[in-house]
Amino acid sequence: MDYTVNEQGYYGNFGGAYIPEMLYPNIEELRESYMNIIHEPSFQEQFHQLLRDYVGRPTPLCFAPRLSERYSARIYLKREDLCHTGAHKINNTIGQILLAKRLGKQKIIAETGAGQHGVATATVCALMGMECIVYMGQLDMERQRPNVERMRILGTKVVPATSGNMTLKDATNEAMRHWINHPADTHYIIGSVVGPHPYPDMVARFQSVISEEIKAQLTEKEGNPFPDYVLACVGGGSNATGAFYHYLDHEHVHLIGVEAAGKGIDSGASAATTALGKPGVLHGSKTLLMQTGDGQVVEPYSISAGLDYPGIGPMHAHLFETGRVQFISATDDEAMQAGIELSRTEGIIPAIETAHAMAVLKKMEFDTDDVVVINLSGRGDKDLETYIRWGKY
Amino acid sequence: MEATKTMNRIDQLFSLKRENILSVFFTAGYPSLNDTVPIAQALEQAGVDMIEIGIPFSDPIADGPVIQASSKTAIDNGMTLKLLLEQVKEARQTVTIPIILMGYLNPVLQYGMEHFFTDAAAAGVDGLILPDMPMDEYKHSFQEKMKSAGLHNIFLISPTTVEKRIRQIDNLSNGFIYAVSSSSTTGARTGFQPEQLAYFERLKSLNLKNPFLIGFGISNQESYNTACQYSAGVIIGSAFIQWLKKEGNSIGAIPEFMRQVKG
């Protein structure tokens, strides 16, 4: 089974580039050049130098002793929360800004939900001296005030998206509209493994550094690069893609994606796309999509702004359809409890997105010698308000 | 059977008329759910040559605020693709000019592409504009099926579409080509800049097999006249929806709006 993208930009039945003609030249330019550019030795050198010196990679793979004891397994945490700006998102923005420079673009646009991708984009734009506009749903701007101000401090213009539910989906619509209106000088840094081909593959490659490091670190710690399980949360799916990437062809490694069930899968307030979605087209690719029978996209819900998206990346849709990745969901409450549990057992307050991945430990059964890697995709500083409001600690 | 098939209404139109064609876009189910039929009738009575009816979608990425808002209102009004086809059927009892449905791929995919082609043709639709349908997918999966249903597929080209691709699109097109006047979302600009006129000139000089209509940025008599100098005619969308939205304008006054445009 092939889990990576084919020549036409598809992962099995999913993917492709469903875009209006006005964006065709931009997407075609990227499609023709991205592989050549990212394989250039000078690109690779600069990319890895920045990941090392600026982002702080490799991030530690940290054995979690108390959690391991509690769940009777050998649990490791991949510490993406220790990346500069607090999440894995910056792996991708470093890669894409270097690509944008080589394409001769002067301006950058991005969408953001929780604000982590927006901050990571604003950060690399400041670093490279490039003009940056980030679209953010007006509701998310209210929910994630500190990240809005972080972007502004970094010199980025934050533009509210006021259509729809005013969240991530709508911010993505606005960013795409901006790109249609400014195709020549602007590069759009998409923050997840979504969008038209080649974005899902490009973002996957930049995030694949996560599993590349896990392999080397596990070899050192366990004498074997292959864990029994890798767990990661899935909104669009970029951190999960990074954590799964180098294990996809090793079928004995169990890969678990955790979606946000919100108030419960059947509650009408959920973002569990594999459970609730059907094949459809949104934001340039064919994927699983939460939608009505008439093909209108359903507004998702999760306590976590970063998982509050009605689709998933086309690769995940394929991994779900082929059964290569098992998808499980965690509710708001389960995630919040798991976030508190990690704080108390290991001294790490996780982002609420990440807390969803932690929450499924309770739902799984491990052998005592099973090696389990959880991708700790982000830190919880940005979510302090939500933790305080939840209150049960 | 072939001999008994009637000519597609779009082909009929272009066989009779190759200049100053006026095509008008509006969103189905807007301003009110049952306005689709009376608007179509009023447009025909006002002398419009062709009608494009928008299929509302929750996430219209190629549209500016005016058409976005009309789509949202239409969905809130209860508009669905199934209902739209019933309305087209009803309009067809009187309306004889070509009717094109324009919209994003997802609602059509959920309806089921093949069922949709059959049902749309049966309702009296002549052509489709699906801006986010990839050319390859059309070629491999839908071209034959649309052809056998008797539906034309209309492609968009924009100022950044290179000649090689314009030729490919011309070869795959039937009816006409929709030339977007600037790289923009709908309703973003009014009037034309010199580089747009140069683009129209370039298109004209390509001597394409299919006629082309110019859309995006046509809002008044001046832009209508200018665009008609280079093309077979124009498409008006956002400006008409804006007009419909304005307090005091009614469906009965549509002929007046069209007189303002055509002069």
Side-chain angles (χ1 to χ4, degrees), chain A residues 154-210:
Chain A
L154 290 160
T156 281
K157 185 176 170 197
V158 184
V159 179
T162 55
S163 55
N165 261 25
M166 301 185 268
T167 61
L168 177 56
K169 170 177 84 79
D170 314 296
T172 308
N173 290 340
E174 288 304 330
M176 288 196 158
R177 288 180 188 125
H178 181 106
W179 208 24
I180 289 173
N181 284 291
H182 305 87
D185 60 353
T186 301
H187 175 69
Y188 176 18
I189 301 190
I190 295 183
S192 192
V193 285
V194 301
H197 175 69
Y199 275 102
D201 185 50
M202 192 163 72
V203 178
R205 284 169 189 273
F206 292 141
Q207 291 295 359
S208 70
V209 65
I210 299 173

Side-chain angles (χ1 to χ4, degrees), chain A residues 333 336-337 340-341 344 386-393:
Chain A
D333 277 345
M336 295 307 293
Q337 281 161 15
I340 302 296
E341 181 186 35
R344 297 284 164 89
T386 312
Y387 277 111
I388 293 165
R389 229 177 302 127
W390 189 70
K392 298 169 195 159
Y393 52 87

